[in-house]
Amino acid sequence: MLRHLLYPFLPYRSFAIPILVLSAIAVPCWLILRLYRLRTSGRPMSFQRELLLLIFVAYLSGLAAVTLEPNHPSRAVAEAMVPVELHPDLASLTCSSALLPSGSTAQGFCVRNARGNLLLFIPFGILLPLIWRRLRFWNGLQIAIAVSCSIELLQYVSRAWGSYRTADVNDFILNVLGAGLGLGLVLLLRLRQSTRPATQRA
């Protein structure tokens, strides 16, 4: 059972070590910073909020490790890669292009890339409204847009030091869509909970 649940994530197992390394640096630094701030501010601590913030920091560490880890392909692959892709492509988003035959390695990579970009930002959309409870859907989506744009820009800039990443508008679309799904899920659950009769909530 567990094996079947983990199977879709196996293609991304190469990111495990970068995520663990960056989290091992970021999380302790965050804990020290928060403990110092809470001690100096004198405000009462909300354990639930602090736990959510810690999870968010760990998630952002993983996000940075996955999206900004240097990529050093072979010379032939590097020369074939385009630095910026600014044209949205439905065939690329759905991996249904005629250039991607069913069952081919190229289609498999496309599916993993599309699925990864979508799933990567769903936790972002879920965590934002849990941490900032008054956050509106569109404000959360704007934050996701800003973060995804920053990632794509950094991926393009990283080519200057030999990391062959492509700034792709299709990745951006999938990121924002994933964040929107996460935001919508949390806000929908809140709406459903607020409309339940008081007797059912008791």
Side-chain angles (χ1 to χ4, degrees):
M1 181 65 178
L2 182 61
R3 183 178 180 182
H4 290 293
L5 290 173
L6 294 176
Y7 183 76
F9 300 97
L10 289 180
Y12 312 106
R13 61 185 180 275
S14 60
F15 295 116
I17 292 178
I19 290 172
L20 289 174
V21 169
L22 196 54
S23 297
I25 297 171
V27 169
C29 291
W30 171 257
L31 286 173
I32 292 170
L33 177 65
R34 288 302 293 172
L35 288 171
Y36 173 78
R37 186 168 182 180
L38 289 169
R39 185 175 180 180
T40 55
S41 66
R43 296 178 181 176
M45 182 183 71
S46 169
F47 178 77
Q48 182 180 3
R49 177 173 168 76
E50 293 302 323
L51 180 61
L52 285 171
L53 285 171
L54 181 62
I55 293 171
F56 191 53
V57 169
Y59 163 75
L60 290 178
S61 301
L63 182 65
V66 170
T67 57
L68 301 177
E69 180 192 11
N71 181 19
H72 303 292
S74 64
R75 182 175 180 180
V77 173
E79 290 175 351
M81 293 174 67
V82 293
V84 182
E85 179 55 69
L86 297 177
H87 302 288
D89 185 1
L90 183 61
S92 177
L93 291 169
T94 59
C95 300
S96 58
S97 171
L99 299 175
L100 301 172
S102 179
S104 66
T105 303
Q107 190 197 40
F109 174 80
C110 179
V111 170
R112 289 194 301 272
N113 182 65
R115 183 172 58 194
N117 277 293
L118 181 69
L119 294 176
L120 194 60
F121 266 69
I122 290 179
F124 189 87
I126 292 173
L127 289 168
L128 276 182
L130 291 179
I131 295 171
W132 293 283
R133 297 191 63 84
R134 296 183 180 180
L135 185 74
R136 295 179 180 273
F137 179 86
W138 294 113
N139 291 337
L141 208 58
Q142 288 172 0
I143 295 173
I145 289 171
V147 171
S148 185
C149 277
S150 300
I151 289 172
E152 296 302 320
L153 179 61
L154 286 171
Q155 286 181 339
Y156 174 73
V157 172
S158 70
R159 297 176 71 90
W161 58 80
S163 177
Y164 288 89
R165 290 273 193 169
T166 297
D168 193 340
V169 69
N170 298 296
D171 292 350
F172 166 77
I173 292 171
L174 290 166
N175 291 163
V176 175
L177 180 59
L181 289 173
L183 283 162
L185 177 62
V186 173
L187 298 179
L188 186 64
L189 290 174
R190 282 182 180 172
L191 181 63
R192 183 179 178 183
Q193 186 177 19
S194 65
T195 55
R196 288 171 58 190
T199 54
Q200 292 184 13
R201 278 184 267 174

